[in-house]
Amino acid sequence: MPMTIFTLASFVTACLITVAASAQTIYKSVDQYGNVTYSDEPPTNATAEKLELKPLNTTPAITPAPAPSPPLVSPAPSPSPEPDATTSPPKQASGYGLRLVTPKSEQRFGPAEKTLTVVMLTQRKLEPGLRFEVYIDGKVQETTDSNNVSIALSKALQGRRSVSAAVVDGAGNVIERTEERTIFVIRPAGHS
């Protein structure tokens, strides 16, 4: 029985030490010039207000997901006969992972901004004969081999607009398309 009381007393003491260590005391003092000083020890030459700090709220770090594997490269296809007028052109392989980096969804372009920069990323290089198209409100605005396009923002583009992009082939067939993003072009009256 005496051992049980000793064990209980030790446990209670350990708990009190833990609670005392988790709530830290700091001291706030103000000097004659109004300068505020915080310290973990009370000042010897001035009066100080004793403050209790609440425990810190922390979140453990998140382990990032592993990087995706690069796409597998398939062997070159065997030569096929030349297409004639009755056969359709071969369909290009998709899987570019096309996505918009800019503009951000709901982004606003004020009067000082003269251009809309559209940046697109893919997981792999475009095959020969393919290119990018940038759309505003579903209409082709720019066709390019570059994944970075600058479009002049005019009064005609004022208001709420949707922006998207696609990878297209030489015949204009869409191979892969991004999601549409809404942007707002703000132009004052009389601005061109």
Side-chain angles (χ1 to χ4, degrees):
M1 186 89 169
M3 188 61 157
T4 306
I5 293 174
F6 176 75
T7 304
L8 182 60
S10 298
F11 177 73
V12 170
T13 303
C15 288
L16 289 175
I17 290 172
T18 303
V19 169
S22 67
Q24 294 184 351
T25 302
I26 61 167
Y27 299 91
K28 175 184 172 185
S29 60
V30 181
D31 67 13
Q32 66 222 25
Y33 303 108
N35 296 320
V36 179
T37 304
Y38 294 92
S39 174
D40 59 349
E41 295 180 12
T44 55
N45 57 354
T47 59
E49 178 183 353
K50 186 176 182 180
L51 303 172
E52 292 292 327
L53 291 179
K54 294 180 182 175
L56 293 176
N57 184 9
T58 60
T59 303
I62 297 173
T63 305
S69 303
L72 297 175
V73 178
S74 58
S78 60
S80 57
E82 290 293 318
D84 58 29
T86 60
T87 61
S88 61
K91 189 168 183 167
Q92 301 286 345
S94 187
Y96 287 99
L98 178 66
R99 64 187 188 282
L100 289 176
V101 176
T102 62
K104 300 293 183 197
S105 189
E106 304 293 317
Q107 187 171 348
R108 284 158 171 65
F109 295 87
E113 296 170 282
K114 304 295 184 206
T115 58
L116 162 64
T117 301
V118 179
V119 178
M120 302 156 283
L121 286 182
T122 58
Q123 293 175 345
R124 60 189 174 104
K125 186 177 177 182
L126 293 186
E127 294 174 19
L130 299 183
R131 63 189 187 282
F132 295 104
E133 282 188 346
V134 176
Y135 305 91
I136 295 183
D137 295 335
K139 296 178 187 162
V140 177
Q141 191 72 28
E142 188 84 30
T143 301
T144 180
D145 294 328
S146 172
N147 67 337
N148 188 342
V149 177
S150 293
I151 299 170
L153 290 174
S154 64
K155 186 161 178 66
L157 290 176
Q158 180 173 337
R160 180 186 181 133
R161 301 289 176 197
S162 66
V163 177
S164 62
V167 173
V168 297
D169 64 16
N173 298 314
V174 174
I175 306 299
E176 193 169 315
R177 191 172 187 145
T178 67
E179 79 286 355
E180 288 189 349
R181 291 196 179 164
T182 300
I183 63 166
F184 298 92
V185 179
I186 304 160
R187 294 289 175 257
H191 187 278
S192 53

